[in-house]
Amino acid sequence: MVSAQARQYIANKLEEQAKQNWLFSNLKFEGEIPNQGKNRIYGFSDVCITLNHKGDLWIEGPTYRNFISSNNYHTAKEAVDLLHDQLRYIDENYKRLQSSPEIWVKKGLFTRIKERIAS
């Protein structure tokens, strides 16, 4: 678990790198998506990045789902670099993922409930 200050720093670095350095062919940075919870959500075309209150980064889209645990990094730079690697993988394999999705982690209960209500 990371502190609120560390989470804010990760969010700032993510936004800075996405705007200035991350150029993908199939993913476009759309900025932070407003929400009412503690989580920070960022859009990259059809992929959402969620930075939750524990410091975990969830990468979720219709054809790819994975996460980076706060235990897997020690600095904000490491967190953002790991996230970049995930996004680069999605971008490079975008067409293949359309026909063969990779869902490495199951959706949480809250997400499943929210999707049922929305449909």
Side-chain angles (χ1 to χ4, degrees):
M1 186 171 211
V2 299
S3 69
Q5 183 179 7
R7 269 190 50 214
Q8 181 62 45
Y9 189 71
I10 292 168
N12 292 346
K13 284 307 235 181
L14 185 159
E15 198 152 343
E16 173 188 303
Q17 290 297 311
K19 286 179 181 177
Q20 296 174 8
N21 299 324
W22 294 353
L23 301 174
F24 299 114
S25 300
N26 300 294
L27 301 176
K28 181 181 177 224
F29 181 62
E30 298 171 349
E32 187 168 0
I33 299 169
N35 71 354
Q36 307 225 343
K38 294 180 183 179
N39 298 339
R40 312 249 342 229
I41 302 172
Y42 298 89
F44 287 85
S45 300
D46 60 350
V47 175
C48 286
I49 306 301
T50 303
L51 173 59
N52 73 13
H53 66 281
K54 294 179 184 177
D56 298 332
L57 288 157
W58 287 83
I59 303 99
E60 297 182 278
T63 61
Y64 185 85
R65 188 174 314 116
N66 207 344
F67 86 108
I68 300 166
S69 169
S70 61
N71 297 332
N72 291 353
Y73 62 85
H74 299 288
T75 66
K77 181 181 180 341
E78 285 179 355
V80 172
D81 288 348
L82 289 169
L83 179 59
H84 178 259
D85 290 344
Q86 294 275 324
L87 292 170
R88 187 180 64 228
Y89 176 83
I90 295 167
D91 187 60
E92 290 173 355
N93 296 285
Y94 193 80
K95 290 185 180 176
R96 183 186 56 76
L97 289 170
Q98 301 304 308
S99 61
S100 182
E102 295 180 10
I103 309 299
W104 297 105
V105 292
K106 293 183 179 183
K107 289 183 181 180
L109 177 63
F110 180 72
T111 304
R112 290 187 300 221
I113 292 169
K114 188 167 74 170
E115 285 178 350
R116 283 192 182 176
I117 292 171
S119 61

